[in-house]
C-alpha cells in the first residue's frame, strides 16, 4: 500500500476551525504534516458556494480535505432543507471541480451517514448506500453529500483524479456544537440535562420514543481515521468510519442522566420525529488502511460532559 508522505505537502482543510477540523489538523501534524503548510479557510473569507472562492482556496494546494458543511440535527433538517441541500451541494461540487482544475494531488471528501437509505440492513455496508432513499428529515443534506461521491468517482474515471470519500458515523466529543438550534443528539442532550439541573426541573422532555439506535464516533478517532485515509486509501469506493457499537436513544439518555447525576423523569415526546430507525456501521473496509476506533463510549461521554460543564456559560 503506497502511503502519501505528508511532510512536504501543502494541505487545505475546509471547516478546519470547526469541531472535527481542529482534531484533523492535530492528527495531520502528528502524522508529520508541517503546520506552516496547513491552510484553514474561514467562511468569513471564503464562501465556497462560489467557484471563484473555491479556486482561490485550492490554488497551490497538494491535498484538500473537505470537512466544511452546513449541518445540524433533526430540528435544523426540518426547518431549512433547501439551504442544507443547496449549500452542501454547491460547496462540495465546486470545490472538487476547482481542485481538479488546479491539479490537486488528492481530494478527501468527508460525507455523511445521513446518505444511507432509511431502511438499511444493519450493520450498514458501503454497498447498501444506493439501496433506497434516505430518511426524510435528513434526505436533502444526505443526497447533496452523496452526489459528491458520484462526482469523485466520475472525475476519477474520466480524469484520473484521486478523490476519496469517507463516511463517519455521528460524531461527539469535547468542543462539539452545543447550540440547541443546530446541535446533534449527544451535545443537545448534555445541554438539556445540564439546564434542567440548573433550573431544578424534575422532568426531562426528549424527542421521539427512545427506540431508534445510533452509533457514535469520538471526534479524535474520526480525525485519526480521516488522516489515515488521506495517507493510505486511494480507491473509488466509499469507506465507513465508525465503532460498530450500537445504542438506543433510550439507553443513551439514561446513560447521560446517570453520568450527570440527573434523577428526574424522562418524558418521551412521541409526537416528535424519531429520525432513522437504526444506525450502525460495518467498519471492515476501513481496516484496509489500519483504522479502528479506540475511545470507549462511556469514557468519551464523560470527557464530553466535563468539557461542556467547564465551558457552559
Amino acid at each position: 500500500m503506497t502511503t502519501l508522505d505528508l511532510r512536504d505537502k501543502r494541505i487545505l482543510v475546509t471547516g478546519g476551525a470547526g469541531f472535527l477540523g481542529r482534531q484533523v489538523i492535530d492528527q495531520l501534524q502528528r502524522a508529520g504534516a508541517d503546520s506552516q503548510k496547513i491552510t484553514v479557510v474561514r467562511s468569513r473569507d471564503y464562501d465556497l458556494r462560489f467557484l471563484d472562492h473555491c479556486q482561490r482556496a485550492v490554488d497551490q494546494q497538494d491535498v484538500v480535505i473537505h470537512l466544511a458543511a452546513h449541518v445540524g440535527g433533526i430540528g435544523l433538517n426540518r426547518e431549512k432543507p433547501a439551504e442544507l441541500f443547496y449549500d452542501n451541494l454547491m460547496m462540495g461540487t465546486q470545490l472538487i471541480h476547482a481542485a481538479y482544475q488546479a491539479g490537486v494531488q488528492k481530494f478527501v471528501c468527508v460525507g455523511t451517514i445521513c446518505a444511507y437509505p432509511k431502511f438499511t440492513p444493519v450493520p450498514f455496508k458501503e454497498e447498501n448506500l444506493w439501496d433506497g432513499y434516505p430518511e426524510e428529515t435528513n434526505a436533502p443534506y444526505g443526497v447533496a453529500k452523496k452526489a459528491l461521491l458520484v462526482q469523485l468517482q466520475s472525475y476519477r474515471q474520466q480524469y484520473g483524479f484521486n478523490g476519496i470519500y469517507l463516511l463517519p458515523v455521528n460524531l461527539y466529543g469535547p468542543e462539539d456544537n452545543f447550540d440547541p438550534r443546530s446541535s446533534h443528539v449527544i451535545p443537545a442532550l448534555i445541554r438539556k440535562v445540564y439546564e434542567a439541573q440548573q433550573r431544578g426541573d424534575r422532568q426531562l422532555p426528549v424527542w421521539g420514543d427512545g427506540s431508534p439506535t445510533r452509533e457514535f464516533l469520538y471526534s479524535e478517532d474520526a480525525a485519526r481515521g480521516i488522516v489515515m485515509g488521506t495517507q493510505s486509501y486511494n480507491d473509488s469506493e466509499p469507506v465507513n468510519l465508525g465503532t460498530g457499537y450500537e445504542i438506543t436513544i433510550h439507553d443513551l439518555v439514561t446513560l447521560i442522566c446517570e453520568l450527570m447525576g440527573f434523577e428526574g423523569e424522562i418524558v418521551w415526546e412521541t409526537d416528535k420525529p424519531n429520525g432513522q430507525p437504526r444506525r450502525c456501521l460495518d467498519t471492515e473496509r476501513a481496516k484496509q488502511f489500519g483504522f479502528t476506533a479506540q475511545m470507549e463510549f462511556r469514557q468519551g461521554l464523560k470527557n464530553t460532559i466535563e468539557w461542556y460543564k467547564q465551558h457552559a456559560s
Side-chain angles (χ1 to χ4, degrees):
M1 180 184 291
T2 55
T3 300
L4 185 66
D5 186 345
L6 300 176
R7 284 175 299 185
D8 62 344
K9 295 289 183 275
R10 291 160 299 186
I11 304 169
L12 170 70
V13 184
T14 72
F19 160 55
L20 177 59
R22 288 191 291 270
Q23 297 278 1
V24 167
I25 287 166
D26 180 56
Q27 293 294 325
L28 283 168
Q29 291 171 340
R30 291 185 188 204
D34 180 348
S35 61
Q36 300 300 310
K37 294 185 175 180
I38 299 172
T39 301
V40 174
V41 292
R42 306 298 291 262
S43 56
R44 62 171 178 261
D45 302 316
Y46 293 85
D47 186 337
L48 299 177
R49 295 172 299 179
F50 296 99
L51 182 59
D52 59 329
H53 287 235
C54 292
Q55 288 166 332
R56 271 199 298 128
V58 302
D59 186 44
Q60 303 296 311
Q61 300 296 329
D62 300 310
V63 177
V64 175
I65 301 177
H66 179 43
L67 307 175
H70 186 175
V71 64
I74 288 180
L76 188 71
N77 278 300
R78 294 175 87 200
E79 186 188 340
K80 296 186 171 178
E83 282 182 34
L84 291 173
F85 180 81
Y86 181 84
D87 290 355
N88 288 292
L89 182 67
M90 298 308 286
M91 276 196 290
T93 197
Q94 303 208 88
L95 195 70
I96 290 168
H97 189 67
Y100 152 67
Q101 287 184 316
V104 166
Q105 279 179 255
K106 187 162 189 178
F107 192 102
V108 180
C109 186
V110 176
T112 173
I113 215 65
C114 299
Y116 272 100
K118 180 175 182 177
F119 298 105
T120 307
V122 178
F124 295 6
K125 289 183 164 66
E126 291 92 345
E127 52 264 33
N128 299 135
L129 200 55
W130 296 100
D131 289 354
Y133 195 69
E135 195 278 324
E136 293 79 7
T137 52
N138 298 319
Y141 172 61
V143 170
K145 294 291 272 188
K146 190 152 65 165
L148 305 179
L149 169 61
V150 178
Q151 184 177 5
L152 287 172
Q153 290 174 331
S154 306
Y155 279 47
R156 181 184 291 274
Q157 183 182 342
Q158 186 172 344
Y159 305 132
F161 183 61
N162 187 13
I164 67 168
Y165 191 88
L166 306 175
L167 282 159
V169 77
N170 297 56
L171 303 181
Y172 75 104
E175 302 187 340
D176 203 343
N177 168 27
F178 289 86
D179 182 335
R181 293 165 301 180
S182 57
S183 57
H184 286 102
V185 60
I186 286 179
L189 287 170
I190 290 171
R191 178 169 177 152
K192 186 173 273 211
V193 172
Y194 178 83
E195 291 181 346
Q197 288 174 310
Q198 297 301 106
R199 293 190 299 264
D201 294 353
R202 301 302 306 149
Q203 290 191 326
L204 185 78
V206 181
W207 276 25
D209 62 14
S211 67
T213 69
R214 291 293 179 265
E215 174 184 344
F216 298 97
L217 182 62
Y218 197 61
S219 55
E220 186 179 327
D221 275 335
R224 199 166 43 81
I226 290 164
V227 172
M228 290 173 79
T230 302
Q231 290 175 289
S232 304
Y233 187 70
N234 297 293
D235 201 351
S236 61
E237 295 304 313
V239 182
N240 289 334
L241 298 178
T243 62
Y245 172 70
E246 186 179 15
I247 185 171
T248 66
I249 297 297
H250 175 276
D251 290 351
L252 173 66
V253 175
T254 304
L255 179 56
I256 289 173
C257 288
E258 177 202 324
L259 292 174
M260 295 182 74
F262 179 80
E263 296 174 350
E265 178 194 3
I266 299 166
V267 178
W268 295 100
E269 298 185 305
T270 53
D271 59 323
K272 298 289 199 305
N274 271 330
Q276 193 163 22
R278 286 181 73 185
R279 260 188 210 164
C280 184
L281 298 185
D282 181 292
T283 57
E284 284 303 306
R285 190 174 284 172
K287 291 176 184 171
Q288 290 177 17
F289 53 84
F291 174 72
T292 51
Q294 294 173 350
M295 177 59 69
E296 189 270 325
F297 185 56
R298 188 184 182 95
Q299 185 59 50
L301 275 182
K302 281 184 183 175
N303 297 350
T304 309
I305 290 164
E306 277 312 304
W307 185 89
Y308 179 70
K309 283 181 173 177
Q310 286 171 14
H311 294 83
S313 49

